[in-house]
Amino acid sequence: MSGGFDLAPWELRWSGLAVDQLHRTESVFALSNGHVGLRGSLDEGEPVGLPGTYLNGFYEEHALPYAEAGYGYPEAGQTVVNVTDGKIIRLLVEDEPLDMRYGRALEHHRTLDFRTGVLTRETLWESPTGRRVRVRTQRLVSFTQRAVAAIRYEVEAVGGDAGGPEETQLVVQSDLLANEPIESRTRDPRVALALKSPLAGESSHCSGLRAVLVHRTKESGLRLAAGMDHEVEDLPGLRTEVSAEDDLARLTVAADIPVGGVLRLTKYLGYGWSSTRSGPALRAQVEAALAGALQTGWDGLLAEQRAFLDDFWAAADVEIDGDDELQQAVRLGLFHILQAGARGESRAIPGKGLTGPGYDGHAFWDTETFVLPVLTYTMPEAARDALRWRHATLPLAQERAAVLGKRGAAFPWRSINGKECSAYWPAGTAAFHVSADIADAVARYHAATLDTEFDREAGTELLVETARLWRSLGHHDPHDGFRLDGITGPDEYSAVVDNNIYTNLMAQKNLREAIAACERNPRVANRLEVSATEIEEWSRAADRMRIPFDEMLGVHEQAEGFTAHEEWDFEGTEAEKYPLLLHYPYFELYRRQVVKQADLVLALHLRGDAFTLEQKARDFAYYEARTVRDSSLSAGTQSVVAAECGHLDLAYAYLAEAALTDLNDLHHNVANGLHMASLAGAWQAIVAGLGGMRDHGGELTFAPRLPSALERVAFRMCFQGSRLQVEITGEEATYRLISGDPVHTSHHGSPVVVDGEVTLPIPAPPDFPTPSAPPGREPRRRTKAGDSGTQEP
């Protein structure tokens, strides 16, 4: 029974069964609230592509040995752990286990509803001996009760073609399973070893219909408790039994069900973890969460979930007329971004969210640069919480800077708990732009919310300590101004370069935002011992920041000397050789004009106030011809800048690639989880690209235009406590105030006050020649025959 996704604007539906595609559906059907994440595996636990249950921030450590040790190299790696699995509910029909590989699945549908936050499944299954049952399940991870997930499981005895017996014996086994066997997908034997039975059992408890297991990791010393409780609809002759041991707790429910009768079970799950709390304390915490879930009840959890999502979509919805596939993909992306950040609170937002173990569960600069702009303008409290996590890790970043002989804070390129755990320093330690990316997100959040409490308690300190890093890292040169040498920008095919423009411009903004924050909060500045001399040094460094420019070619250099490098032979590079990092040594990549992902082009977006439109068009054309997009971070940014330069059809093509990266598995690695930054990049391609939204200097402006393929686009966003909608057609744009105070903005450079509804004409786009991508690297929305690649882009 083959399977595939159906098109629908408010849901993702998979019809039919394709066992070889389980890895895809498990990722896209994953449920999370930012604290607890459940991959979308089948209820029975088997067959399975990659099982996964994750707690944000819960990890195991492993050594990072080096062939040649170096001073300052990180010593320990971190990898996310598949914790106790509570999703499993097995069904036996007259002693025959329901397994989608056996018997016959006469019907099978799974649907993720973006408005209810519920994953449903309906299967009509016939056992090898001809018994038929209809299984209906609903699964949710609560946005309102942070530690809680729940499953409604219903089995109807259908009978068979020949009539059969009047009753069918059904047995349901509801499990909590720790140290679930997993086939490791990592090439790193240290990681594989760390993930082999990573949980040591500490205690197990069961009573009534409830069970709780407590475990501890062997190396990182983190402790977790997982619990389940149940409601079972009473039936004649119903039997229940509960048991618990170190790695397995099970509730068994048995009943004889007449044809047309239903066995109905509701399973409540509770999770908690800590680095300091005792096992009994965590058990009590989880049992309290279960008690709260039972008090609310299944219908109450559904109602809370719908109300939460109603409010989110009222602030964040995107409507697209003219491309049904894109409409579905964009809403799916927004739903997953919400799931990644809604209740993370004191934790990071990993690059894969909680949808899979890709990137070892690490958080990167992707969060601040791609995901947080979405949350800042749709769910600002989630953006604030993510930035508070960065602030909580500030001591570790200061410690890292000190190890490197610098002042201020050097935030990690990849981490779970705030410590750097990248073993490859040219792309890790040298990627100092992470600190400026965090500062950029802090400044954006403050301008968009005017959150003075966050500004005093966390924001100003983050800006000050990152500014101190740049003043310490750079130096004044009498010829070229203030230089930042020996660093790595966003493009990982160019490492340890001098004066990467993206890094320099973001550092420049960082320095100026730190000065402004100190002026807003003099008491905080005094507490941080910021002197007038230091502020003067920041100002001078910002004013003299080195921005390399190739006068002969008339374009900015991605980094000093980049345009003098030898060109890459794109014509002679076979399609099977992409991604390049898997087929060529970094030595060859580093010394050529080949770009993995938007770097200078990202600067054209985020620091667009530092370039003229003509410069943007020339720079974009130059780097478009050299960017191969071996990273999923790139397409969204290329879409934004293409739109600004008037290349609307190209912007639309890149928008589709960003939005469909996971749904169409363009990089062949969706099994490891979704690419949160690419999903967020699709939102930016719509709002900042087609909508022309910019927030330079903390001011909100728009310059909307629509590609010919789309009839209408509308998006909603929040700004300084107000909610507004921007609606774009081919000829005009309409700005509507949904709630709050009037919004002061501009439309293609003309001031506008949105107080009610304003409709304005859209001017013609600029007329620059349309650039071309390297041969064979044009934007795509579907995989092509012969595509290959298993990297984590």
Side-chain angles (χ1 to χ4, degrees):
M1 190 178 182
S2 62
F5 291 118
D6 299 333
L7 286 180
W10 280 105
E11 64 184 28
L12 184 67
R13 179 181 172 91
W14 180 276
S15 297
L17 177 68
V19 173
D20 63 337
Q21 293 297 310
L22 285 176
H23 63 289
R24 292 178 63 196
T25 57
E26 289 164 355
S27 292
V28 297
F29 285 146
L31 296 178
S32 170
N33 59 11
H35 175 61
V36 179
L38 311 179
R39 277 178 63 84
S41 49
L42 294 171
D43 303 277
E44 297 78 33
E46 297 178 14
V48 65
L50 179 65
T53 301
Y54 310 108
L55 293 177
N56 195 348
F58 193 87
Y59 66 93
E60 182 59 304
E61 285 188 347
H62 57 86
L64 287 176
Y66 299 90
E68 295 184 16
Y71 177 78
Y73 283 15
E75 296 179 355
Q78 303 162 4
T79 188
V80 66
V81 171
N82 176 36
V83 301
T84 311
D85 189 353
K87 303 185 300 295
I88 299 172
I89 301 178
R90 307 184 195 277
L91 173 65
L92 288 86
V93 181
E94 294 285 351
D95 292 331
E96 293 180 303
L98 190 158
D99 188 319
M100 301 295 285
R101 295 167 294 189
Y102 306 108
R104 289 196 301 160
L106 304 174
E107 298 175 15
H108 181 66
H109 307 285
R110 304 186 79 199
T111 304
L112 176 60
D113 191 316
F114 313 144
R115 290 172 294 189
T116 64
V118 175
L119 175 64
T120 63
R121 174 262 190 102
E122 183 166 339
T123 300
L124 177 61
W125 182 74
E126 183 179 83
S127 73
T129 57
R131 299 296 183 99
R132 290 185 181 180
V133 292
R134 185 177 296 277
V135 179
R136 302 182 184 91
T137 71
Q138 295 174 280
R139 181 188 299 175
L140 66 83
V141 175
S142 176
F143 287 120
T144 55
Q145 300 189 34
R146 183 172 181 252
V148 169
I151 302 169
R152 169 64 63 88
Y153 193 90
E154 299 178 348
V155 189
E156 177 186 355
V158 177
D161 286 334
E166 295 183 357
E167 290 187 333
T168 299
Q169 185 187 73
L170 301 178
V171 178
V172 171
Q173 295 175 320
S174 175
D175 288 358
L176 279 177
L177 176 62
N179 290 316
E180 194 169 20
I182 292 180
E183 180 181 346
S184 177
R185 295 174 181 266
T186 178
R187 298 179 182 180
D188 189 333
R190 299 181 301 271
V191 175
L193 183 62
L195 293 178
K196 185 177 181 180
S197 299
L199 302 174
E202 288 196 342
S203 64
S204 59
H205 311 269
C206 63
S207 177
L209 304 180
R210 174 179 296 182
V212 179
L213 301 181
V214 179
H215 286 80
R216 187 181 181 92
T217 55
K218 299 171 184 176
E219 299 298 330
S220 61
L222 305 181
R223 181 179 284 112
L224 80 99
M228 63 178 182
D229 208 338
H230 303 79
E231 292 176 328
V232 182
E233 192 169 297
D234 193 27
L235 292 168
L238 181 76
R239 295 178 60 86
T240 62
E241 179 181 323
V242 67
S243 62
E245 53 192 63
D246 279 354
D247 286 350
L248 175 65
R250 172 171 292 164
L251 171 71
T252 302
V253 178
D256 293 327
I257 305 297
V259 173
V262 175
L263 174 60
R264 183 175 292 110
L265 173 148
T266 304
K267 181 176 188 177
Y268 301 96
L269 297 170
Y271 288 93
W273 75 268
S274 175
S275 60
T276 57
R277 302 187 70 200
S278 67
L282 276 178
R283 175 190 168 190
Q285 176 185 332
V286 164
E287 290 189 334
L290 291 171
L294 284 162
Q295 173 66 26
T296 305
W298 174 255
D299 290 339
L301 288 174
L302 287 177
E304 289 179 355
Q305 198 83 336
R306 180 61 188 250
F308 185 95
L309 284 163
D310 283 347
D311 186 63
F312 172 73
W313 291 116
D317 190 26
V318 172
E319 301 172 54
I320 300 173
D321 294 346
D323 190 330
D324 293 342
E325 184 183 35
L326 184 60
Q327 172 70 87
Q328 180 189 55
V330 168
R331 283 195 175 125
L332 173 70
L334 277 168
F335 180 74
H336 275 294
I337 292 166
L338 169 68
Q339 289 198 128
R343 299 302 303 274
E345 296 175 2
S346 61
R347 303 295 169 194
I349 297 178
K352 296 288 190 180
L354 297 178
T355 65
Y359 306 133
D360 288 328
H362 296 162
F364 296 76
W365 65 288
D366 308 17
T367 298
E368 282 76 21
T369 300
F370 296 94
V371 177
L372 290 199
V374 184
L375 294 175
T376 293
Y377 292 117
T378 60
M379 193 180 182
E381 57 272 25
R384 177 199 62 212
D385 289 343
L387 291 171
R388 284 195 178 276
W389 173 75
R390 285 292 193 185
H391 184 257
T393 67
L394 183 59
L396 295 174
Q398 291 169 316
E399 180 182 312
R400 181 66 176 158
V403 167
L404 299 173
K406 304 302 173 186
R407 294 190 66 208
F411 283 94
W413 184 59
R414 59 188 303 166
S415 182
I416 293 178
N417 72 350
K419 291 183 179 179
E420 178 64 78
C421 55
S422 170
Y424 186 59
W425 71 265
T429 295
F432 287 101
H433 69 85
V434 177
S435 293
D437 300 327
I438 293 167
D440 180 58
V442 168
R444 177 179 296 106
Y445 171 77
H446 176 259
T449 63
L450 302 180
D451 185 341
T452 56
E453 180 181 0
F454 172 83
D455 192 36
R456 290 192 307 270
E457 295 180 354
T460 297
E461 187 173 17
L462 284 168
L463 291 169
V464 165
E465 293 302 325
T466 48
R468 284 172 167 163
L469 173 70
W470 300 117
R471 181 60 192 90
S472 175
L473 187 65
H475 74 279
H476 288 281
D477 179 88
H479 305 97
D480 297 323
F482 188 77
R483 300 176 59 89
L484 294 171
D485 295 334
I487 61 173
T488 298
D491 172 28
E492 294 155 24
Y493 287 172
S494 299
V496 195
V497 299
D498 296 339
N499 295 304
N500 168 257
I501 283 186
Y502 174 84
T503 304
N504 284 22
L505 285 176
M506 296 297 282
Q508 180 186 64
K509 179 180 179 181
N510 191 165
L511 292 162
R512 289 172 175 164
E513 291 288 354
I515 295 170
C518 289
E519 291 173 349
R520 290 193 305 269
N521 300 291
R523 291 184 178 179
V524 177
N526 184 61
R527 175 174 61 81
L528 298 175
E529 299 181 351
V530 179
S531 66
T533 300
E534 187 172 23
I535 288 179
E536 183 179 343
E537 289 177 350
W538 293 346
S539 180
R540 183 166 178 261
D543 291 343
R544 300 190 72 242
M545 190 67 68
R546 165 79 171 141
I547 308 298
F549 186 81
D550 187 321
E551 296 288 351
M552 184 182 75
L553 296 176
V555 297
H556 288 90
E557 296 179 284
Q558 178 173 290
E560 206 161 69
F562 180 85
T563 54
H565 289 176
E566 184 179 357
E567 296 279 4
W568 186 269
D569 180 14
F570 294 110
E571 292 283 357
T573 304
E574 300 173 359
E576 305 82 60
K577 296 295 186 180
Y578 290 97
L580 298 178
L581 77 158
L582 295 184
H583 300 94
Y584 297 92
Y586 272 115
F587 168 73
E588 284 298 319
L589 298 173
Y590 289 168
R591 56 199 286 268
R592 303 292 184 92
Q593 290 193 56
V594 57
V595 181
K596 181 182 181 184
Q597 62 202 67
D599 187 310
L600 179 75
V601 173
L602 184 59
L604 299 180
H605 172 202
L606 296 181
R607 284 302 320 274
D609 54 334
F611 303 86
T612 67
L613 182 59
E614 289 72 21
Q615 287 174 335
K616 292 176 185 178
R618 289 181 65 87
D619 287 348
F620 179 72
Y622 188 85
Y623 289 94
E624 177 71 4
R626 291 158 178 81
T627 302
V628 295
R629 293 189 334 284
D630 282 348
S631 167
S632 61
L633 299 182
S634 198
T637 295
Q638 288 174 267
S639 179
V640 170
V641 180
E644 185 174 7
C645 294
H647 313 309
L648 297 174
D649 292 338
L650 182 61
Y652 170 62
Y654 279 130
L655 159 61
E657 179 176 311
L660 292 163
T661 286
D662 290 319
L663 203 53
N664 289 347
D665 200 6
L666 297 184
H667 291 276
H668 306 281
N669 59 9
V670 76
N672 291 326
L674 305 183
H675 299 81
M676 290 299 141
S678 184
L679 298 177
W683 180 91
Q684 294 201 31
I686 292 170
V687 175
L690 304 186
M693 187 276 284
R694 296 293 185 273
D695 49 18
H696 302 316
E699 296 183 2
L700 188 68
T701 63
F702 296 94
R705 290 190 176 96
L706 211 59
S708 58
L710 299 180
E711 301 165 8
R712 171 183 169 273
V713 167
F715 57 85
R716 296 185 171 206
M717 59 185 297
C718 310
F719 186 72
Q720 296 183 357
S722 297
R723 291 182 175 181
L724 69 153
Q725 182 189 59
V726 180
E727 182 178 12
I728 314 164
T729 64
E731 295 78 30
E732 60 187 24
T734 300
Y735 302 89
R736 295 185 181 90
L737 183 67
I738 298 171
S739 64
D741 296 330
V743 175
H744 293 259
T745 183
S746 73
H747 171 83
H748 287 281
S750 299
V752 176
V753 178
V754 184
D755 185 7
E757 184 175 305
V758 181
T759 299
L760 298 167
I762 294 177
D767 186 19
F768 296 112
T770 302
S772 299
R777 305 307 292 170
E778 297 80 9
R780 56 181 180 158
R781 63 190 293 162
R782 292 181 180 84
T783 55
K784 302 173 184 176
D787 278 354
S788 63
T790 57
Q791 89 288 6
E792 286 291 1

